[in-house]
Amino acid sequence: MEYISREGYEKLVEELKYMENVELPRVREAIAEARDKGDLSENYEYRAAKREQARLLGRIRYKQRVLEYARVVDKTRLHSDAVGLLSKVTMTNMANGMQMTYTLTSTAESNLREGRLSIKSPIAKALIGKRTGDTVQVRVPAGTVTLRVDSIEI
């Protein structure tokens, strides 16, 4: 089961519809066009289109599976006194004083560029249940990092 925000659910549905209604027909058209060019054994365009189709179908199946097991979380029932799913956490790296803000989301919604950290990541696992002012030590690939929770929002 995957807990997900309403916005994340709607975004996944929109992406799935786009892949099924726009990208998949485009790839199928490219396959048909390459097939019309003759000998398939030496046709690079045909092989490339088939690889693209396989990649796209895999992404579609993944998104379908996520949506099948998704449970939308009601944000009004969440509390901002402790870190949890959909919490927006501002923290400070105690070693260098750098401040960072991340929203803890499901793995399907995570995107580091947008500041959305997977709830299954080492940092998020260490932060779960912590309150403002708490410090945690987290083992990351670069070593151990000490973080202080500065604020928690929903």
Side-chain angles (χ1 to χ4, degrees), residues 10 12 24 29 62 79 82 85 87 93 111 125 136 142 153:
E10 291 170 359
L12 277 173
L24 194 56
E29 185 178 308
Y62 170 76
H79 303 287
L85 182 65
S87 295
N93 182 334
N111 185 336
K125 285 181 180 180
V136 294
E153 303 171 31

Side-chain angles (χ1 to χ4, degrees), residues 12-28 56-57 59-65 67:
L12 277 173
V13 168
E14 184 179 310
E15 288 173 0
L16 181 60
K17 284 181 181 177
Y18 178 79
M19 285 190 285
E20 290 175 334
N21 299 327
V22 177
E23 289 185 29
L24 194 56
R26 178 185 53 78
V27 169
R28 286 184 177 147
L56 183 59
L57 289 173
R59 286 179 44 214
I60 288 172
R61 278 191 296 274
Y62 170 76
K63 291 192 186 293
Q64 287 172 335
R65 201 169 304 115
L67 290 172

Side-chain angles (χ1 to χ4, degrees), residues 79-85 87 89 127-132 152 154:
H79 303 287
S80 63
D81 58 338
V83 177
L85 182 65
S87 295
V89 182
L127 290 172
I128 296 294
K130 301 299 183 218
R131 299 181 185 286
T132 302
I152 305 166
I154 295 293

Side-chain angles (χ1 to χ4, degrees), residues 82-84 89 91 102 104 117 121-131 134-136 138 147-149 152:
V83 177
V89 182
M91 59 196 121
Y102 292 110
L104 304 186
L117 189 63
S121 70
I123 293 175
K125 285 181 180 180
L127 290 172
I128 296 294
K130 301 299 183 218
R131 299 181 185 286
D134 289 352
T135 58
V136 294
V138 184
L147 302 171
R148 181 185 67 226
V149 178
I152 305 166

Side-chain angles (χ1 to χ4, degrees), residues 89-102:
V89 182
T90 302
M91 59 196 121
T92 303
N93 182 334
M94 301 304 284
N96 60 15
M98 189 174 129
Q99 199 171 50
M100 348 171 221
T101 302
Y102 292 110

